Amino acid sequence: MGKHRENTRDFHFDWRFFRSCYQLGGLVYPSWEWAALLTVITIVTAIGREVVNYFSGLNLGKFYGALVGGDEGAFWTVFVSSTLWYVALCGLIAIVQFLAWCLYLSFRSNSVRKLQNLYFQNGVFYKMNCVDDQGVDNPDQRITQDVEKACNILATKIIPVVFLCPFTIGWYTYRTFTIADWFGVVSIYVYFILGTVINRFLISPLAKWSARVEKAEGDFRYKHVSVRDHSEEAAFYKAASFEESEATRLFWHLFRQQRSQILVRLPVDFFQTFFNFFGGSLSYAVQVFPIFIFHYYDDVSPDDLPTIISNNSFVLIYLINSFTNLTDLATNIGEFAGYIQRITEFKEVAISHSRNLQRDLSSSDLLAVKVDEKGGKVNKGAEFNEDDAIVCLSGVSYAPPTEDEELVSELTISVAPSHRLLITGPSGVGKTSLLRCMAQLWPIRTGSLTLGEFPRGVIFLPQRPYFPVGQLSLKQQVVFPAHEDSIPINEHERIVRILASVGLGRLLVTAGDLIGKVDFEWQDQLSPGEQQRLSLARVLFHKPSLVILDEATASLSELAEKEVYDLLTQEKIGYLSTGHRSSLFQYHDQVLQIEEKGRVSIYPTDEIRY
């Protein structure tokens, strides 16, 4: 099965960034709850911090006055007062940082829960990873790392600055006006506007390179995850040299992306540093207006003038600092733009896939299904009498969703409840593809495909056994996809009997017990044959009406295969199989043979063809 891959898009600091910010708001603020409350509390506390900071800053001027005037008593009074102000200020700074980190946790919790819900809804994860990614590389990375970094920057860097700036800028603009009139205010505002314009051009490429680095990080990480998960296979192939060269190639690609990002950051960092340091000089330059032009302080005594200049400098430099705090966000916002556009792209594609899949599911709920030349129908869950077929295909044509050439055309077959169908044929002709259509993972092109209503449901066993990771208990692996907490204790004895019946009784020794977590992953611990046996144990536990086996005994001996089919018959579990081995014919009474170029033949097993 081929997956359709689109070229990864570049992201920039443009109108799409603001659209992504709006969409991100729906993720981090799903409703009026902890995130919104923490945001308000953080902003209010930050305002309190700035009030305390203002009064503590004015004390610096009092130090000058006491020292110039030689008043030791006044000096110690100011010293004690400043100490108390700084204790309060440090406490509020710590509280604001604590609240910002709490806000980060709330943002991440809301975002991850929403994105995971979209990802696992209506089979979106399958469509995105196996059929068509629509340009969304590394969806796992976008849910984990990109969300973590975006929420971190938003909660700890952006919100404490952006939401506070209107208050600080408003107050210090007013104080600057009382000191240096409109000339001082305009000078500082022009300085800020100039810095904003320059930053706009500097941070735009930063968003692009941040997104590129994230993709390269994901590809490099995935390579090492692949080596970790397939170490034995690679060792048998003696592929160490190849894997090292491929890992090195991906690393050097990542290295080049990071190097470009660092080069892009260089002018941003230079300008931010210059903007910050020059602001200190500007705070004194603005005092040219009240002192040398307007002569506001001609009548002030030399002893009082240092205090006035110090207080004025504090006010002016804090207005400049309020603006530089915004320009200092340039690097963070550039990186943030790359992260959130990757996240919102993932969200948009997931919603698109979910709606398309939901529409396909809705269209397949009809009990009466017509053959449609423009698109087939899958009718799952129709009501049947005992004599009706459990699987009915009428004029079905199907192909991989991303390809035009059909694997099979105009297939018509009915499988009665008493029949057991074997689908066989060479590799790659479309056996598993037909099962994907039955499972509604793929749409059919034309015709109708109907599955009956099964009281105990249907279980599909794929070619590759699947065991969820997380060092889960043996019980959880047997009852999967149910949660082990939903299975009562009185079922434990039956689980032990099932494990013994499929020749896996020793796993109780390997795991230590039935319900305890293990210190290994089952996919790594079991041989291919044992993996297939444990998958079949799940079938025996759930006892579905029908199990669809996709070469599910290929790694077993013929004797073990016979035991499996005997157990299914004994438990009255109907089955439909795919496979190559001639030994499978004896357990089925009807054969659907698919040949190259979509040729099909249907015959009873007493007319076996080799």
Side-chain angles (χ1 to χ4, degrees), residues 422 502 529 532-533 536 549 551-569 575 577-588:
L422 172 64
V502 296
Q532 290 195 330
R533 288 172 181 269
L536 290 162
L549 307 166
E551 300 189 35
T553 58
S555 298
L556 302 180
S557 67
E558 291 190 8
L559 178 60
E561 181 179 76
K562 180 180 184 304
E563 293 173 352
V564 167
Y565 279 102
D566 287 345
L567 282 170
L568 293 176
T569 302
Y575 53 83
S577 308
T578 71
H580 300 278
R581 298 203 303 201
S582 59
S583 59
L584 290 171
F585 286 97
Q586 62 186 304
Y587 311 116
H588 302 80

Side-chain angles (χ1 to χ4, degrees), residues 242-374:
F242 174 84
E243 295 293 1
E244 181 183 5
S245 66
E246 280 299 290
T248 302
R249 178 182 66 82
L250 290 169
F251 172 73
W252 280 115
H253 175 67
L254 169 60
F255 176 85
R256 288 190 294 271
Q257 302 300 310
Q258 288 186 314
R259 182 179 60 191
S260 298
Q261 183 190 37
I262 291 170
L263 291 173
V264 168
R265 285 184 63 127
L266 177 61
V268 178
D269 292 339
F270 167 79
F271 178 73
Q272 286 182 353
T273 305
F274 175 81
F275 199 79
N276 290 343
F277 280 103
F278 188 73
S281 299
L282 184 62
S283 68
Y284 288 98
V286 170
Q287 295 198 65
V288 166
F289 296 106
I291 295 176
F292 298 124
I293 297 177
F294 302 131
H295 301 283
Y296 287 164
Y297 307 124
D298 287 353
D299 298 332
V300 175
S301 68
D303 291 344
D304 294 333
L305 189 59
T307 300
I308 294 174
I309 293 175
S310 175
N311 289 339
N312 289 351
S313 295
F314 169 76
V315 170
L316 295 170
I317 201 169
Y318 221 84
L319 175 59
I320 296 170
N321 184 64
S322 297
F323 285 127
T324 57
N325 283 340
L326 290 177
T327 58
D328 284 348
L329 286 177
T331 302
N332 290 323
I333 289 178
E335 295 177 354
F336 180 69
Y339 298 142
I340 67 168
Q341 289 179 78
R342 282 171 56 84
I343 293 168
T344 54
E345 181 188 45
F346 170 90
K347 178 185 174 185
E348 290 171 353
V349 171
I351 290 174
S352 173
H353 279 322
S354 182
R355 286 174 178 170
N356 292 338
L357 290 165
Q358 185 63 47
R359 184 184 64 243
D360 293 341
L361 290 173
S362 298
S363 66
S364 68
D365 286 338
L366 301 174
L367 294 182
V369 182
K370 297 179 180 179
V371 176
D372 187 348
E373 295 181 356
K374 296 182 179 179

